Amino acid sequence: MSWIIYDALVFVSSVLLYLTIRKSTISKLPTQFNNLGIFLIPVFFYNFAVFLTHSYHISLQHLVIIILTGIFLSYGSSIFSLKSIELAPNPGYSLMVSKNYVLMTSFLAIPLFHQSLSLRGLVAIVLIVIFSSLIVLNGKAIGHKTSTAWFPLAIGAFLGWGFLSLVAKYLYQHGVSPITFLAYLSIVGTLCIIAEMLVKKISLSPFKLHPWIFITIGLTSAAFNFFNFYTIKVAPNVGYVNATNAASIGAITIFAAILFGDELTTRKLVGVIGTILSLLLLFTS
């Protein structure tokens, strides 16, 4: 199957995941509720797959890298992103910033992994960044948003997720399979969020009152991360996958406006359309 098919599945699962998170935010559920769903439910899927394929074995060095990656790049970036989404005028604004590590990874992948970057692909990536900037700039806060702290938090997620994708590609080139990487990563993330909940004494009542939101976040997270990290392995350039991530912000912004009444101006709409068209250009590069 072509990497483009998997990349399209990255797009779809990203939209579903972050719209569900937006629903959770509107329902005033705690950030830890979302984060536990993102990490815990995928544990069962990934580790079952690893059990079936007998692919648990990795070197101690790679295990240490995954543990550090899980704590600082995966869990840390998720914390930054979820809090930023909570504070932003529109979830698409926060995600545009946090997911636009595409240029960084596109160029770093060339010397680090000897990957290719076609001129047409580069043009498509630059256009995605330009059009997505129309979505995020000069956003007007609406009533339930009270802080501009979403932006530095989104920058933290930007750096974390960018280096997360590069670390994943490094491990793949050294014999670690995507499903094994995700199995260990999800365990580390789950332990981190459970520790946080114990320290902060987070109530379990939201899980009993909103089980379907929790389950949906977990299922869409499992799908998104699998397609995302598998496509990183097979795509011509890590940045192509990251560009799809960034482009999904356009669809998230549109659906968030339709479903939840989030802010959407004419300029943002132009940015959304341009971003999606740029993604189509990337797919044909």
Side-chain angles (χ1 to χ4, degrees):
M1 187 183 297
S2 169
W3 71 271
I4 294 176
I5 301 299
Y6 289 108
D7 210 33
L9 292 172
V10 172
F11 183 94
V12 173
S13 55
S14 173
V15 172
L16 293 175
L17 171 61
Y18 286 102
L19 286 175
T20 309
I21 290 173
R22 180 59 177 150
K23 173 62 177 177
S24 176
T25 300
I26 291 173
S27 301
K28 300 187 183 303
L29 300 177
T31 299
Q32 292 81 7
F33 175 91
N34 300 333
N35 229 356
L36 187 62
I38 286 172
F39 286 110
L40 177 60
I41 293 179
V43 165
F44 301 101
F45 290 97
Y46 299 151
N47 283 276
F48 181 68
V50 169
F51 173 77
L52 291 179
T53 56
H54 306 286
S55 54
Y56 270 113
H57 179 73
I58 58 174
S59 70
L60 178 60
Q61 177 187 357
H62 290 160
L63 179 60
V64 171
I65 291 174
I66 292 176
I67 290 174
L68 294 176
T69 298
I71 295 172
F72 295 106
L73 301 184
S74 182
Y75 172 73
S77 298
S78 184
I79 289 290
F80 286 153
S81 178
L82 290 174
K83 190 61 179 178
S84 179
I85 289 171
E86 180 182 328
L87 297 175
N90 183 297
Y93 300 174
S94 169
L95 290 171
M96 193 289 302
V97 176
S98 63
K99 288 194 174 188
N100 254 335
Y101 49 85
V102 51
L103 284 175
M104 177 182 74
T105 54
S106 297
F107 287 111
L108 287 178
I110 298 173
L112 290 177
F113 310 121
H114 308 291
Q115 292 194 302
S116 62
L117 179 61
S118 69
L119 178 59
R120 190 168 181 174
L122 176 59
V123 170
I125 288 171
V126 171
L127 287 175
I128 286 173
V129 172
I130 292 173
F131 280 114
S132 57
S133 70
L134 295 178
I135 301 174
V136 70
L137 295 178
N138 301 318
K140 183 195 297 184
I142 56 180
H144 64 284
K145 306 300 178 184
T146 59
S147 174
T148 58
W150 69 269
F151 185 75
L153 289 168
I155 291 295
F158 162 93
L159 294 172
W161 277 335
F163 284 104
L164 174 60
S165 64
L166 294 174
V167 170
K169 184 63 179 181
Y170 167 82
L171 291 172
Y172 299 162
Q173 290 194 337
H174 288 79
V176 178
S177 71
I179 197 65
T180 303
F181 172 73
L182 285 170
Y184 283 109
L185 198 70
S186 61
I187 292 173
V188 173
T190 299
L191 293 176
C192 286
I193 188 60
I194 289 175
E196 179 189 351
M197 294 179 69
L198 291 174
V199 170
K200 295 182 177 179
K201 299 180 180 179
I202 303 296
S203 171
L204 295 178
S205 58
F207 301 93
K208 300 175 183 178
L209 297 174
H210 304 276
W212 288 111
I213 293 180
F214 180 75
I215 292 171
T216 304
I217 287 175
L219 293 176
T220 53
S221 171
F224 167 71
N225 282 297
F226 173 76
F227 292 127
N228 181 58
F229 284 103
Y230 182 80
T231 312
I232 284 174
K233 179 180 180 180
V234 299
N237 188 296
V238 173
Y240 289 178
V241 189
N242 300 156
T244 300
N245 253 328
S248 72
I249 306 313
I252 293 168
T253 303
I254 288 290
F255 284 112
I258 294 172
L259 297 174
F260 309 125
D262 286 352
E263 179 191 24
L264 181 63
T265 65
T266 302
R267 190 185 69 257
K268 270 62 174 181
L269 183 59
V270 171
V272 167
I273 295 172
T275 300
I276 301 301
L277 292 177
S278 300
L279 181 62
L280 295 177
L281 176 63
L282 176 65
F283 283 166
T284 59
S285 64

